Amino acid sequence: MTNLRGFWLRSLPELPPAHCATPADTARAELRQLAARCPAWGGIGISVDPAMDRDSYALEGKILRGGEAGVLYGAYALAEAALQGKAPADFPGGVQAPAFPDRMLNGWDNMDGTVERGYAGRSLWFEGGRFAYEPDRIRQLGRLMASVGLNVLCVNNVNVHEPAEGLIDELLPELAAFGALLRPFGVRLMTSVDFAQPIRDGMATADPLDEGVQAWWARRADAVWAAIPDFFGFLVKADSEHRPGPFTYGRSHAEGANMLARAVAPHGGKVVWRAFVYNCMQDWRDHSIDRPCAAYDTYMPLDGAFDDNVILQVKNGPYDFQVREPVSPTLLGMERTALAVEFQLAQEYTGHQIDLYALASVFRDFFDDVPAQRLRAIAAVTNIGRDESLFGHPFAAANLYCYGKFAWNPGESAEESLRSWARLSYPEAGEDLAEKLMIPSRGVYERYTATLGLGWMVTPGDHYGPNPSGYEYDRWGTYHRASRDAVGIDRTREGTGYAAQYPPELEARYSDPETCPENLLLFFHRLPYSWRMADGRSMIQRIYDDHFDGAAMAEQMAAVLRELPLPSPDREEALRRMEAQCRNAREWRDVINTFFHRLSGVEDAHGRMIYD
Ligand code: GCV
């Protein structure tokens, strides 16, 4: 059966029996298992209260009262408290409810079994053009999702490749069978759809204003909801990175999204429309286009034009899941559109689940700037695959765990969520694992890769390992513009104007290099290497120092890891990956420092080795 490496449910190893049909059945089974392990928490009964919101719950004496799925979230909350040694009397009183009704995971799984940006092996549920899985592993996935409060799973990649079109057609019975395994865990399904799908089905056009096209989608929706009555909806990547979309027909994204929304509305379905639209055929010499401006420029004029059942899903930053980005101004600007933020748990630019990079502080930083009330939903690209540990690196499980915590409560603390993950998942090592490895991990990774808000210096395509010019002369709009004297892009009103997309207070903070957070300095400003940082160091010296420090810190983390009392085989797996991380950190240090040394001609103040 499934190994639960890196996840606290390992302390309650039994899957609820397969005959559990509802979240309430599952909750009862989980509470029985908990009572056997922690007798002080025995004797708690469950009461499903149709008057409560679907996902909320309250512990009232010995009764866990909740909505249809809320009782299950309550059962897992009780289990977490019990396993951290708390007493039932300490359990929070009152009704507990999630901040967002829709808490989504997006699988970028292809039906041939590969996973786009997957670092935990092949797809957990697709192989050879169809569903192929061990039912218990899917139930385990449902259990993992419910245990961290998530309730929607998109099964296929937003880049919809051909066989996936069958998902809402001849493969519907397979999709329904898959969904049935997740329903007892309160998880509903979504699929990505290809905007041009009617054409592949023989239609002459996919124009959203064409009545034949509208009727085609309505028929598809009828078939999907007939097979899966609680189906969540469709996820769409349109007019993005060569995917088809309404622009082909001179239509707006509101017209495209609303056409689909009207097809699914009679079934209570949703359309989740991604706002990842930019010019991916840019000439690097053209300074008039600035990619981070793209989403706001495209969608702000459409604010208020989307139907109620459309959710616009916007990446957390304006670029693409870089190590550090400011928040997306689109999420701060749109007032009359249902919005979702999209994070990426899969560590595409953040270490491929080899290097440690805890995302908890990414979530914290985001919600420090974006009030949760602005958002209708929250989404994240999964980091799960067929590897035995499900996450590749067992500690990458922390990113799913912390995502769930923030999806439920955006006021969560980054440090505390990592501490509870570590205490619960590795009780023997918990404190040091959190304090010395997970909490500092993002800062360490940032130092040796992309300090001061510089992104994109990665190997093209693969996105692991350094290549400072790899994306510099390419068509993707991803430039740092490093020259002999200066680096960075001026994004103030005097430059590309991007900063003007923010509300005044943020614009003012970002636009002045003295108040701009140092970790975003070169994202917002073009500065000479001699620029004085707050601590008196020159900017170029700071770049050198950060890369030396980052690589040294990775070595210190390796020394800590060697001493941690972790169970096998997690310990060996983590050590093996840490060795690779240290190699990676040294390579980043040398390549980036050499690049800037050669360009600037400035020597390191400490005379350390930089290659000539
Ligand atoms: C699914 C980036 C990634 C792509 C991904 C895309 C997206 O460009 O590199 O792999 O495609 O984002 O979010 O659509």
Side-chain angles (χ1 to χ4, degrees):
M1 236 293 294
T2 310
N3 182 314
L4 279 174
R5 287 198 228 154
F7 218 82
W8 64 274
L9 284 169
R10 69 199 307 165
S11 303
L12 301 175
E14 277 171 41
L15 259 178
H19 60 71
C20 292
T22 63
D25 295 343
T26 310
R28 285 189 190 94
E30 296 289 22
L31 286 184
R32 271 195 301 276
Q33 189 175 182
L34 179 66
R37 162 108 207 221
C38 306
W41 292 78
I44 295 177
I46 286 206
S47 155
V48 177
D49 181 348
M52 283 180 83
D53 281 348
R54 185 179 186 274
D55 292 351
S56 59
Y57 65 86
L59 182 64
E60 292 163 354
K62 284 276 191 186
I63 297 292
L64 177 61
R65 193 166 64 83
E68 192 188 321
V71 287
L72 183 57
Y73 301 132
Y76 288 122
L78 293 174
E80 274 204 35
L83 293 167
Q84 289 187 77
K86 296 185 182 149
D90 300 332
F91 195 78
V95 175
Q96 310 294 318
F100 310 108
D102 305 320
R103 303 173 301 281
M104 309 184 267
L105 271 187
N106 294 177
W108 284 0
D109 297 54
N110 299 313
M111 294 198 69
D112 65 1
T114 58
V115 181
E116 181 150 351
R117 312 302 176 188
Y119 310 105
R122 293 175 72 77
S123 170
L124 191 61
W125 52 82
F126 289 140
E127 196 58 71
R130 55 190 328 121
F131 280 98
Y133 51 79
E134 266 178 58
D136 277 355
R137 286 208 109 190
I138 302 310
R139 298 176 61 243
Q140 191 67 273
L141 169 69
R143 193 174 183 233
L144 274 183
M145 286 182 66
S147 76
V148 297
L150 304 179
N151 61 0
V152 178
L153 174 68
C154 182
V155 297
N156 63 314
N157 191 357
V158 288
N159 291 326
V160 183
H161 300 297
E162 213 181 307
E165 292 162 11
L167 272 178
I168 54 165
D169 199 339
E170 72 271 9
L171 292 172
L172 266 176
E174 290 191 19
L175 185 64
F178 182 80
L181 294 169
L182 296 171
R183 193 168 293 115
F185 298 95
V187 175
R188 298 164 71 192
L189 290 187
M190 167 160 74
T191 59
S192 297
V193 294
D194 183 338
F195 198 78
Q197 212 152 318
I199 295 181
R200 299 185 196 249
D201 197 40
M203 308 265 308
T205 176
D207 182 350
L209 299 196
D210 180 280
E211 283 179 11
V213 170
Q214 294 163 2
W216 188 94
W217 281 108
R219 279 197 305 278
R220 278 292 101 233
D222 292 348
V224 170
W225 269 270
I228 310 171
D230 61 356
F231 192 73
F232 182 78
F234 296 142
L235 175 63
V236 191
K237 172 175 177 176
D239 293 311
S240 167
E241 299 183 332
H242 312 295
R243 307 309 302 166
F247 288 166
T248 311
Y249 308 97
R251 312 297 182 199
S252 77
H253 273 213
E255 289 169 315
N258 291 346
M259 180 274 290
L260 287 174
R262 285 163 203 171
V264 304
H267 310 284
K270 302 268 177 6
V271 168
V272 181
W273 189 269
R274 292 177 89 231
F276 186 56
V277 171
Y278 66 98
N279 178 353
C280 63
M281 297 298 283
Q282 190 180 337
D283 183 331
W284 58 270
R285 286 157 295 212
D286 181 352
H287 290 235
S288 71
I289 309 174
D290 187 23
R291 172 167 159 183
C293 296
Y296 189 95
D297 287 348
T298 308
Y299 293 98
M300 273 307 281
L302 299 178
D303 197 14
F306 291 98
D307 283 6
D308 287 349
N309 60 333
V310 175
I311 300 175
L312 189 68
Q313 183 166 300
V314 187
K315 291 190 181 187
N316 62 302
Y319 249 142
D320 188 9
F321 304 134
Q322 297 300 289
V323 173
R324 187 164 306 259
E325 291 187 40
V327 295
S328 161
T330 311
L331 290 170
L332 287 169
M334 295 184 86
E335 299 282 349
R336 290 169 296 136
T337 302
L339 297 168
V341 55
E342 177 179 318
F343 295 104
Q344 190 187 39
L345 308 182
Q347 290 175 238
E348 176 178 356
Y349 294 95
T350 55
H352 284 203
Q353 287 152 238
I354 299 168
D355 299 27
L356 290 182
Y357 181 95
L359 278 135
S361 68
V362 175
F363 308 138
R364 182 64 272 137
D365 291 353
F366 177 84
F367 286 113
D368 281 346
D369 282 338
V370 180
Q373 308 81 274
R374 292 195 62 77
L375 305 181
R376 165 70 215 274
I378 182 166
V381 180
T382 68
N383 56 355
I384 287 177
R386 196 170 285 224
D387 269 9
E388 213 207 325
S389 83
L390 292 178
F391 298 96
H393 196 313
F395 301 170
N399 285 333
L400 180 74
Y401 177 86
C402 294
Y403 168 59
K405 291 282 151 195
F406 279 87
W408 192 277
N409 170 24
E412 181 69 49
S413 138
E415 289 80 12
E416 207 32 50
S417 62
L418 284 167
R419 281 187 202 111
S420 49
W421 167 78
R423 270 196 305 268
L424 284 161
S425 308
Y426 296 104
E428 321 81 344
E431 197 160 315
D432 281 352
L433 176 55
E435 302 299 334
K436 299 188 178 158
L437 291 180
M438 300 308 282
I439 293 174
S441 62
R442 181 181 179 211
V444 172
Y445 188 82
E446 181 174 32
R447 275 189 185 77
Y448 64 76
T449 58
T451 184
L452 304 180
L454 281 174
W456 297 111
M457 291 193 165
V458 288
T459 323
D462 169 59
H463 302 168
Y464 186 79
N467 187 339
S469 301
Y471 274 117
E472 197 56 15
Y473 307 101
D474 213 330
R475 59 190 189 281
W476 302 94
T478 47
Y479 316 117
H480 49 70
R481 309 270 188 215
S483 70
R484 201 174 150 271
D485 307 305
V487 57
I489 293 181
D490 179 359
R491 293 196 158 107
T492 67
R493 283 178 195 247
E494 283 71 54
T496 71
Y498 165 77
Q501 295 184 343
Y502 286 100
E505 194 226 320
L506 266 185
E507 183 192 354
R509 171 151 37 115
Y510 290 143
S511 294
D512 180 349
E514 302 293 346
T515 56
C516 180
E518 280 196 338
N519 53 27
L520 289 171
L521 190 63
L522 299 176
F523 179 93
F524 281 104
H525 298 279
R526 176 164 190 80
L527 296 170
Y529 295 118
S530 57
W531 174 262
R532 283 286 142 207
M533 306 296 294
D535 64 6
R537 284 183 281 178
S538 68
M539 181 251 281
I540 186 76
Q541 188 57 43
R542 173 67 186 277
I543 290 178
Y544 293 153
D545 287 350
D546 278 359
H547 286 84
F548 280 115
D549 291 351
M553 289 161 104
E555 301 290 348
Q556 286 155 16
M557 292 195 343
V560 170
L561 183 62
R562 281 193 286 274
E563 299 306 317
L564 283 188
L566 289 164
S568 273
D570 301 31
R571 180 169 190 278
E572 294 71 25
E573 187 65 52
L575 279 170
R576 200 172 61 73
R577 286 173 194 254
M578 182 59 88
E579 236 174 76
Q581 171 165 3
C582 289
R583 266 199 311 278
N584 189 37
R586 287 193 295 273
E587 191 187 351
W588 271 96
R589 174 196 66 193
D590 294 341
V591 170
I592 302 298
N593 280 347
T594 301
F595 173 77
F596 282 109
H597 181 232
R598 286 180 179 167
L599 266 182
S600 68
V602 178
E603 294 303 332
D604 170 43
H606 307 291
R608 286 166 295 193
M609 172 76 180
I610 297 180
Y611 298 99
D612 287 314

